[in-house]
Amino acid sequence: MTQAAQAVLAIHGGAGAIARAEASDEVRAAYETALAGILTNAGRILEQGGSALDAVTEAVRLLEECPLFNAGHGAVLTSAATHELDAAIMDGRNLKSGAVAGLKTVRNPVLAARAVMEHSQHVMFVAEGAEAFAQAQGLERVAPDFFSTPLRREQLERVQRAESGQTALDHDTGSNGASGGVPLSLPADRQKDAPLDEDRKLGTVGAVALDAHGNLAAATSTGGMTNKQPGRVGDSPIIGAGCYANNRTCAVSTTGTGEMFIRMVVAHDISARMEYAGASLEEAAHTVVHEKLPQIDGRGGLVAIDAQGNVAMPFNTEGMYRGFIRAGQAPVVAIYA
Ligand code: ASP
């Protein structure tokens, strides 16, 4: 195997409850096409000998630009009908990392996270300070409603109606953070007792890569959870929870119920199991997603790559938008288990 042949990129576009029966072939194909296109485009960077860092940055930037996924354009709304975007990036060569939380006008939060990593003494900026930093770095800013889509507005209204007890979440074509537009359904008996089913609120994007030079990197970006309280920050921009990369072990990007992913320090736990306990990537990722997270009702999944180019994409929900591409090969994408 040549060095370049080991280069690999994996991405996710969120995990959640996905009703197989309800998703039309057309909708499913739209997601699969988007995932494959993003893998192909960002994968070219690896094929041409570029860095894992550049590949994950570009993959997440493209996912942010795609309105189907909950990050950047197409991000979910807070309870105040605003957007607060979070992102993180980490370089496995040297553990350098950058993160931003609560961005409102920066078009591509992943670029802001990368700028924090490369052009500041710090790891994380939040809210106004993060905006000011991005502005000073010359990053593109947009009007806050750039991130909104009609589907996200409807979704917020539905969730708020359900939370105020006016209606149950209906058995409809509801889009949410999990599905980002894939029709969902809940059985009638769950509708009444689950006015706000956690399964219906997931979604985030992320990428992990190993380049031909043997370097790992990870990046994660999210709008958070629909109807989140302003100021709430989930796992996505927390280094070690939603994002981690270390050349000695692996690169990880997560999606799921952020509070539980923070409490389980998910991304770093996978790395630690490999480093200290000698677990394989597959074992470590499986244990965390299928044994540890369920102990505190943590739902979601992750994509991970180890230093040998093995890929793990476990999730404990019904589905996760995901895929990977090895340099010189065709992308592989999947949604359901
Ligand atoms: N983990 C994200 C958050 O808590 C949301 C998600 O991935 O569904 O903000």
Side-chain angles (χ1 to χ4, degrees):
M1 192 195 277
T2 64
Q3 258 214 323
Q6 72 171 348
V8 55
L9 168 72
I11 63 173
H12 69 78
I18 301 171
R20 223 173 286 231
E22 298 277 321
S24 69
D25 289 349
E26 193 192 346
V27 170
R28 205 172 51 231
Y31 280 84
E32 289 172 353
T33 303
L35 290 168
I38 290 166
L39 282 166
T40 303
N41 280 312
R44 237 169 249 139
I45 293 172
L46 294 179
E47 211 172 313
Q48 292 163 0
S51 70
L53 198 59
D54 284 345
V56 297
T57 305
E58 180 61 2
V60 170
R61 191 190 69 78
L62 292 170
L63 285 158
E64 287 174 345
E65 291 291 311
C66 178
L68 296 176
F69 303 109
N70 171 20
H73 178 51
V76 300
L77 291 144
T78 69
S79 60
T82 55
H83 294 283
E84 293 186 0
L85 311 174
D86 307 331
I89 191 163
M90 188 157 183
D91 185 343
R93 283 177 296 193
N94 45 27
L95 308 186
K96 283 193 178 166
S97 37
V100 286
L103 289 179
K104 294 190 162 141
T105 65
V106 178
R107 177 168 180 149
N108 293 110
V110 71
L111 299 184
R114 181 147 176 189
V116 171
M117 177 175 82
E118 291 181 335
H119 305 299
S120 85
Q121 308 273 328
H122 308 296
V123 168
M124 189 171 204
F125 282 100
V126 303
E128 287 81 16
E131 297 268 324
F133 178 80
Q135 166 85 15
Q137 290 294 316
L139 294 179
E140 183 177 353
R141 296 176 73 193
V142 290
D145 67 1
F146 165 83
F147 302 111
S148 302
T149 63
L151 280 173
R152 294 304 187 205
R153 294 201 176 280
E154 284 165 27
Q155 174 190 339
L156 178 66
E157 279 166 29
R158 239 189 339 266
V159 170
Q160 289 187 332
R161 269 202 310 275
E163 282 207 330
S164 69
Q166 288 172 30
T167 61
L169 281 173
D170 26 282
H171 184 94
D172 66 0
T173 57
S175 149
N176 65 22
S179 68
V182 170
L184 292 169
S185 70
L186 282 177
D189 61 331
R190 276 185 74 200
Q191 285 178 35
K192 61 174 166 32
D193 61 12
L196 192 69
D197 188 327
E198 288 291 323
D199 286 353
R200 308 197 65 187
K201 300 196 302 177
L202 309 183
T204 278
V205 309
V208 289
L210 171 71
D211 64 30
H213 316 286
N215 296 314
L216 289 163
T220 307
S221 179
T222 191
M225 297 175 106
T226 300
N227 203 32
K228 69 182 180 182
Q229 234 177 292
R232 176 266 185 190
V233 178
D235 61 319
S236 307
I238 308 294
I239 296 299
C243 181
Y244 192 74
N246 183 342
N247 274 8
R248 294 169 62 88
T249 54
C250 62
V252 181
S253 172
T254 71
T255 176
T257 47
E259 283 69 12
M260 288 70 171
F261 279 62
I262 294 174
R263 289 162 60 197
M264 282 287 179
V265 203
V266 165
H268 184 261
D269 190 23
I270 292 169
S271 170
R273 283 166 188 276
M274 294 175 69
E275 187 168 8
Y276 307 138
S280 69
L281 177 75
E282 189 64 36
E283 287 161 358
H286 183 275
T287 304
V288 171
V289 170
H290 293 288
E291 292 173 28
K292 299 294 292 183
L293 277 167
Q295 290 169 12
I296 56 169
D297 202 21
R299 270 168 285 163
L302 55 90
V303 292
I305 293 178
D306 69 14
Q308 286 71 48
N310 295 302
V311 175
M313 303 193 289
F315 52 95
N316 61 25
T317 48
E318 288 170 46
M320 180 170 80
Y321 301 110
R322 64 197 187 279
F324 68 93
I325 189 166
R326 293 192 183 276
Q329 297 182 18
V332 176
V333 302
I335 300 175
Y336 306 121

